[in-house]
Amino acid sequence: MLKDVITLDCINIDLKGQTKSEIIDEMIDILYNNGKLNNREEYKKEILKREAQSSTGMEEGIAIPHGKTNAVKIPTVAIGISKKGVDYESLDGEPSHLFFMIAAPENSNDSHIELLSKITTLLLEDDIREALLNVKSKEEVLDILIKNAEKDNENSSLNQENNNSSDSYQVLAVTACPTGIAHTYMAADALLKKGKELGITIKGSSGVKNELTKEEIKNAKGIIVAADKNVAMERFDGKNVDIVGVKEAIKDPERLINNAINQTAPIYHSSEDSSQTSNKFAKKPKTGVYKHLMSGVSNMLPFVVGGGILIAFSFMFGINASNPNDPSYNYFAKLLNDIGGGNAFFLMVPVMAGFIGMSIADRPGFAPAMVGGLISLNSGGGFLGGLIGGFLGGYITLLLKKVFNKLPESLDGIKPVLLYPLFGIFFTGAIMYLFIVNPIAAINTGISNFLKNLGTGNLILLGALLGAMMSTDMGGPINKAAFTFGIAMIASGQYAPHAAVMAGGMVPPLGIALATTIFKNKFSADERDAGKTCYVMGLSFITEGAIPFAASDPIRVIPSCMIGAAISGALSMAFHIELRAPHGGIFVLPIVNNPIMYLLAIVIGSVVTAVILGFIRKNVND
């Protein structure tokens, strides 16, 4: 069957197209010129319709455009290779080199659809992609795919036999993309293969294939719904369910599987409306303000952490050691400060803004948003202005996409390289300069002056609030809000708030680790082992180390952690601790202004959490 859907005349190992639009046309021409299509334009409409939902450009240089329509005469996969690579709006922003265009008739039988899609799942293997990039002939392409498809089929059969021998599955996975072709099966394969590596039994359900039973749902520890279309969800009521897009399952299957096994995914609650579907949930993170903000913050963090810690290290030679005119001047301190502050930390706001814009409007939104962030940075708008610049650039680009959508198709190639950046950067920059930066600069100055003039009592309350926020959802929106506030304060020259933030973030895992050590009869052997890991996580300022404990016993664990963290944050403020590094945990302790008192604040909060947990938890036997 494989030789039926991939023929030598539908393989081109030297594509000439230089843009996404040109590649699509070239691949469609391969199918049409070899009699695989009834109607070229109808099939192209279906391809572009799928691309409009989300780009089929994957990571690792792969793109898989696909369409399912009556315009297809014979189910086929056209294969194209571009040596130079083409910008295909891929997940990782890298050029695409391998193109698999799937053409499926509207009423294709399941075996044909699965076969067409199964071919693309082979591309999950690094060695197969590498081999395809180095072929010298069409025949080599076909040989590589046939040989590996046979091997993969044997492994899949073996895995299925092993899974069938189990009475229940630890994890269930539902995958579905709008056309039910490539991404549906790639997501399922990525999860199943990663599950095999981790020694976890997974049952994948693609469409109606391998339908999940009530007993399997009841016995599963967790469920993964990787879908870009409607999926019936009411059957998962009360279970831990991770709801993501199909690309996320392909990109990061291990995290999703671990969430399911550890039951850290959110518990799904079905509404009274039985038509409620995963798609309604999946749309929110794709368009929500929080998702865009977190995209900016997460991509900004490497600059913040690396640059901030380098700046902090420069202070070890003296607060003014990087100043050539100061008696304490040290060349290495200046080098550290120039790299960390003059460059890495300088990029913090523009990078955050750029990725917010990219999250909103894909790659065309990156440049206008990044320019908006840079304008804010250079005009006194700081962190807050960068946030506004990021959202402004992203939504202006979205508007431009709608406006330019009315232009002729022949101009599609110049939109991302000329029209979007030209008009996006201009309108974003003009609005930032004319309406945004001056008021935001005034607000930033006001906030800074307000914090400087706060009395000791109010500072302690602020520290307690920030510490408690860090422990409320341990890596969730409230935690990230406190962390982002702390970073913004560092950027504006206020170093005390972030000291309270880091103290509060270290307490939950450290407090739990102490509790598992001191009150052994309150924790199982597995929990005591996990507690040892929490020591390392806590000392490294990784609050998420406490999540497994919080998920299994939220009523006792979360309040205990919040109380201890609030005490640490309050003490940090009371001791007037200042922290110039945005991350690092115990490793940046030497560069705070009073390391002994800061350590004391963290220890006191951790002990309080441990003692509360020790008193309110029941013995394991009970």
CSV table of all heavy atoms in Angstrom, one decimal, residues 153-172 192 200-205 209-213 216:
chain,number,residue,atom,x,y,z
A,153,ASN,N,6.1,-0.5,11.8
A,153,ASN,CA,4.9,-1.3,11.8
A,153,ASN,C,5.1,-2.5,12.8
A,153,ASN,O,4.2,-2.8,13.5
A,153,ASN,CB,4.5,-1.7,10.4
A,153,ASN,CG,3.1,-2.4,10.4
A,153,ASN,OD1,2.2,-1.8,10.9
A,153,ASN,ND2,3.0,-3.5,9.8
A,154,GLU,N,6.3,-3.1,12.7
A,154,GLU,CA,6.6,-4.2,13.6
A,154,GLU,C,6.6,-3.8,15.1
A,154,GLU,O,6.0,-4.4,15.9
A,154,GLU,CB,8.0,-4.8,13.2
A,154,GLU,CG,8.0,-5.6,11.9
A,154,GLU,CD,9.4,-6.0,11.5
A,154,GLU,OE1,10.3,-5.7,12.3
A,154,GLU,OE2,9.5,-6.5,10.4
A,155,ASN,N,7.2,-2.6,15.3
A,155,ASN,CA,7.3,-2.1,16.7
A,155,ASN,C,5.9,-1.7,17.2
A,155,ASN,O,5.6,-2.0,18.3
A,155,ASN,CB,8.2,-0.9,16.7
A,155,ASN,CG,9.7,-1.2,16.5
A,155,ASN,OD1,10.1,-2.4,16.7
A,155,ASN,ND2,10.5,-0.3,16.1
A,156,SER,N,5.1,-1.1,16.3
A,156,SER,CA,3.7,-0.7,16.7
A,156,SER,C,2.9,-2.0,17.1
A,156,SER,O,2.2,-2.0,18.0
A,156,SER,CB,3.1,0.0,15.6
A,156,SER,OG,3.8,1.2,15.3
A,157,SER,N,3.1,-3.0,16.3
A,157,SER,CA,2.3,-4.3,16.6
A,157,SER,C,2.7,-4.9,17.9
A,157,SER,O,1.9,-5.3,18.7
A,157,SER,CB,2.5,-5.3,15.4
A,157,SER,OG,2.1,-4.8,14.2
A,158,LEU,N,4.0,-4.8,18.2
A,158,LEU,CA,4.5,-5.4,19.4
A,158,LEU,C,4.0,-4.5,20.6
A,158,LEU,O,3.6,-5.1,21.6
A,158,LEU,CB,6.1,-5.4,19.4
A,158,LEU,CG,6.8,-6.0,20.6
A,158,LEU,CD1,6.4,-7.4,20.8
A,158,LEU,CD2,8.3,-5.8,20.5
A,159,ASN,N,4.1,-3.2,20.4
A,159,ASN,CA,3.6,-2.3,21.5
A,159,ASN,C,2.1,-2.6,21.7
A,159,ASN,O,1.7,-2.6,22.9
A,159,ASN,CB,3.8,-0.9,21.1
A,159,ASN,CG,5.3,-0.5,21.1
A,159,ASN,OD1,6.1,-1.2,21.7
A,159,ASN,ND2,5.6,0.6,20.4
A,160,GLN,N,1.4,-2.8,20.7
A,160,GLN,CA,-0.1,-2.9,20.8
A,160,GLN,C,-0.4,-4.2,21.6
A,160,GLN,O,-1.2,-4.3,22.4
A,160,GLN,CB,-0.8,-2.9,19.4
A,160,GLN,CG,-2.3,-2.9,19.5
A,160,GLN,CD,-2.7,-1.6,20.2
A,160,GLN,OE1,-2.3,-0.5,19.9
A,160,GLN,NE2,-3.6,-1.7,21.1
A,161,GLU,N,0.4,-5.3,21.2
A,161,GLU,CA,0.2,-6.6,22.0
A,161,GLU,C,0.6,-6.4,23.4
A,161,GLU,O,-0.2,-6.9,24.3
A,161,GLU,CB,1.2,-7.6,21.3
A,161,GLU,CG,0.7,-8.1,20.0
A,161,GLU,CD,1.8,-9.0,19.3
A,161,GLU,OE1,2.7,-9.4,20.0
A,161,GLU,OE2,1.6,-9.3,18.1
A,162,ASN,N,1.6,-5.7,23.7
A,162,ASN,CA,2.0,-5.5,25.1
A,162,ASN,C,0.9,-4.7,25.9
A,162,ASN,O,0.6,-5.0,27.0
A,162,ASN,CB,3.3,-4.7,25.2
A,162,ASN,CG,4.5,-5.6,24.8
A,162,ASN,OD1,4.4,-6.8,24.8
A,162,ASN,ND2,5.6,-5.0,24.3
A,163,ASN,N,0.4,-3.7,25.2
A,163,ASN,CA,-0.6,-2.9,25.8
A,163,ASN,C,-1.9,-3.7,26.0
A,163,ASN,O,-2.6,-3.5,27.0
A,163,ASN,CB,-0.9,-1.6,24.9
A,163,ASN,CG,0.0,-0.5,25.2
A,163,ASN,OD1,0.7,-0.5,26.2
A,163,ASN,ND2,0.1,0.5,24.3
A,164,ASN,N,-2.2,-4.5,25.0
A,164,ASN,CA,-3.5,-5.3,25.1
A,164,ASN,C,-3.4,-6.3,26.2
A,164,ASN,O,-4.4,-6.7,26.8
A,164,ASN,CB,-3.7,-6.0,23.8
A,164,ASN,CG,-4.2,-5.0,22.7
A,164,ASN,OD1,-4.6,-3.9,23.0
A,164,ASN,ND2,-4.1,-5.4,21.5
A,165,SER,N,-2.2,-6.7,26.6
A,165,SER,CA,-2.0,-7.7,27.7
A,165,SER,C,-2.3,-7.0,29.1
A,165,SER,O,-2.4,-7.7,30.0
A,165,SER,CB,-0.6,-8.3,27.7
A,165,SER,OG,0.3,-7.3,28.0
A,166,SER,N,-2.4,-5.7,29.1
A,166,SER,CA,-2.6,-5.0,30.4
A,166,SER,C,-4.1,-4.9,30.6
A,166,SER,O,-4.9,-4.6,29.6
A,166,SER,CB,-1.9,-3.7,30.4
A,166,SER,OG,-2.2,-3.0,31.5
A,167,ASP,N,-4.5,-5.0,31.8
A,167,ASP,CA,-6.0,-4.9,32.1
A,167,ASP,C,-6.4,-3.4,32.1
A,167,ASP,O,-7.6,-3.1,31.9
A,167,ASP,CB,-6.3,-5.4,33.5
A,167,ASP,CG,-6.1,-6.9,33.6
A,167,ASP,OD1,-6.3,-7.6,32.6
A,167,ASP,OD2,-5.7,-7.4,34.7
A,168,SER,N,-5.5,-2.5,32.3
A,168,SER,CA,-5.8,-1.1,32.2
A,168,SER,C,-4.6,-0.3,31.8
A,168,SER,O,-3.5,-0.7,31.8
A,168,SER,CB,-6.3,-0.6,33.6
A,168,SER,OG,-5.2,-0.8,34.6
A,169,TYR,N,-4.9,1.0,31.4
A,169,TYR,CA,-3.9,1.9,30.9
A,169,TYR,C,-3.6,3.0,32.0
A,169,TYR,O,-4.6,3.5,32.6
A,169,TYR,CB,-4.3,2.5,29.6
A,169,TYR,CG,-4.4,1.5,28.5
A,169,TYR,CD1,-5.7,0.9,28.3
A,169,TYR,CD2,-3.4,1.2,27.7
A,169,TYR,CE1,-5.9,0.0,27.3
A,169,TYR,CE2,-3.6,0.3,26.6
A,169,TYR,CZ,-4.8,-0.3,26.5
A,169,TYR,OH,-5.0,-1.2,25.5
A,170,GLN,N,-2.4,3.4,32.2
A,170,GLN,CA,-2.1,4.4,33.1
A,170,GLN,C,-2.5,5.8,32.6
A,170,GLN,O,-3.0,6.6,33.4
A,170,GLN,CB,-0.6,4.4,33.5
A,170,GLN,CG,-0.1,3.2,34.2
A,170,GLN,CD,1.4,3.1,34.3
A,170,GLN,OE1,2.0,2.8,33.3
A,170,GLN,NE2,2.0,3.4,35.4
A,171,VAL,N,-2.4,6.0,31.3
A,171,VAL,CA,-2.7,7.2,30.7
A,171,VAL,C,-3.5,7.0,29.4
A,171,VAL,O,-3.2,6.1,28.7
A,171,VAL,CB,-1.4,8.0,30.3
A,171,VAL,CG1,-1.7,9.3,29.6
A,171,VAL,CG2,-0.6,8.3,31.6
A,172,LEU,N,-4.5,7.8,29.2
A,172,LEU,CA,-5.3,7.8,28.0
A,172,LEU,C,-5.0,9.1,27.2
A,172,LEU,O,-4.9,10.2,27.8
A,172,LEU,CB,-6.8,7.7,28.3
A,172,LEU,CG,-7.2,6.5,29.2
A,172,LEU,CD1,-8.7,6.5,29.4
A,172,LEU,CD2,-6.8,5.2,28.5
A,192,LEU,N,2.7,7.8,22.4
A,192,LEU,CA,2.9,6.4,22.6
A,192,LEU,C,4.4,6.0,22.7
A,192,LEU,O,4.8,5.2,23.5
A,192,LEU,CB,2.2,5.6,21.5
A,192,LEU,CG,0.7,5.7,21.5
A,192,LEU,CD1,0.2,5.1,20.2
A,192,LEU,CD2,0.1,4.9,22.7
A,200,ILE,N,5.5,3.6,30.7
A,200,ILE,CA,4.1,3.9,31.0
A,200,ILE,C,3.2,3.4,29.9
A,200,ILE,O,3.4,3.7,28.8
A,200,ILE,CB,4.0,5.4,31.2
A,200,ILE,CG1,4.8,5.9,32.4
A,200,ILE,CG2,2.5,5.8,31.4
A,200,ILE,CD1,5.0,7.4,32.5
A,201,THR,N,2.1,2.7,30.4
A,201,THR,CA,1.1,2.2,29.4
A,201,THR,C,0.2,3.3,29.0
A,201,THR,O,-0.4,3.9,29.8
A,201,THR,CB,0.4,1.0,30.0
A,201,THR,OG1,-0.2,1.4,31.2
A,201,THR,CG2,1.3,-0.2,30.2
A,202,ILE,N,0.1,3.5,27.7
A,202,ILE,CA,-0.8,4.6,27.1
A,202,ILE,C,-1.7,4.0,26.1
A,202,ILE,O,-1.2,3.2,25.2
A,202,ILE,CB,0.0,5.7,26.6
A,202,ILE,CG1,0.9,6.3,27.6
A,202,ILE,CG2,-0.9,6.8,26.0
A,202,ILE,CD1,1.8,7.4,27.1
A,203,LYS,N,-3.0,4.4,26.1
A,203,LYS,CA,-3.8,4.1,25.0
A,203,LYS,C,-4.2,5.4,24.3
A,203,LYS,O,-4.6,6.3,24.8
A,203,LYS,CB,-5.1,3.4,25.5
A,203,LYS,CG,-6.1,3.1,24.3
A,203,LYS,CD,-7.3,2.4,24.8
A,203,LYS,CE,-8.2,2.0,23.6
A,203,LYS,NZ,-9.5,1.3,24.0
A,204,GLY,N,-3.9,5.4,22.9
A,204,GLY,CA,-4.2,6.5,22.1
A,204,GLY,C,-5.5,6.3,21.4
A,204,GLY,O,-5.7,5.3,20.8
A,205,SER,N,-6.3,7.4,21.3
A,205,SER,CA,-7.6,7.3,20.6
A,205,SER,C,-7.6,8.4,19.6
A,205,SER,O,-7.5,9.6,19.9
A,205,SER,CB,-8.8,7.5,21.6
A,205,SER,OG,-10.0,7.6,20.8
A,209,LYS,N,-11.2,5.7,16.2
A,209,LYS,CA,-10.3,4.6,16.3
A,209,LYS,C,-9.9,4.4,17.8
A,209,LYS,O,-9.6,5.4,18.5
A,209,LYS,CB,-9.1,4.8,15.4
A,209,LYS,CG,-8.1,3.6,15.4
A,209,LYS,CD,-6.9,4.0,14.5
A,209,LYS,CE,-5.8,3.0,14.7
A,209,LYS,NZ,-5.8,1.9,13.9
A,210,ASN,N,-9.8,3.2,18.2
A,210,ASN,CA,-9.4,2.8,19.6
A,210,ASN,C,-10.3,3.6,20.6
A,210,ASN,O,-9.8,4.3,21.5
A,210,ASN,CB,-8.0,3.2,19.9
A,210,ASN,CG,-7.0,2.3,19.0
A,210,ASN,OD1,-7.4,1.2,18.6
A,210,ASN,ND2,-5.8,2.8,18.8
A,211,GLU,N,-11.6,3.6,20.5
A,211,GLU,CA,-12.5,4.3,21.3
A,211,GLU,C,-12.2,3.9,22.8
A,211,GLU,O,-12.1,2.8,23.1
A,211,GLU,CB,-13.9,4.1,21.0
A,211,GLU,CG,-14.9,5.0,21.7
A,211,GLU,CD,-16.3,4.8,21.3
A,211,GLU,OE1,-16.5,4.1,20.3
A,211,GLU,OE2,-17.2,5.4,21.9
A,212,LEU,N,-12.2,4.9,23.7
A,212,LEU,CA,-12.0,4.7,25.1
A,212,LEU,C,-13.2,4.2,25.8
A,212,LEU,O,-14.3,4.7,25.6
A,212,LEU,CB,-11.5,6.0,25.8
A,212,LEU,CG,-10.4,6.7,25.1
A,212,LEU,CD1,-10.1,8.0,25.9
A,212,LEU,CD2,-9.1,5.9,25.1
A,213,THR,N,-13.0,3.2,26.6
A,213,THR,CA,-14.2,2.6,27.3
A,213,THR,C,-14.4,3.3,28.7
A,213,THR,O,-13.4,3.9,29.2
A,213,THR,CB,-14.0,1.1,27.6
A,213,THR,OG1,-12.9,0.9,28.5
A,213,THR,CG2,-13.7,0.4,26.3
A,216,GLU,N,-11.8,2.0,31.2
A,216,GLU,CA,-10.4,2.5,30.9
A,216,GLU,C,-10.3,4.0,31.5
A,216,GLU,O,-9.3,4.3,32.1
A,216,GLU,CB,-10.1,2.5,29.5
A,216,GLU,CG,-9.8,1.1,28.9
A,216,GLU,CD,-9.8,1.1,27.4
A,216,GLU,OE1,-10.2,2.0,26.8
A,216,GLU,OE2,-9.3,0.0,26.9
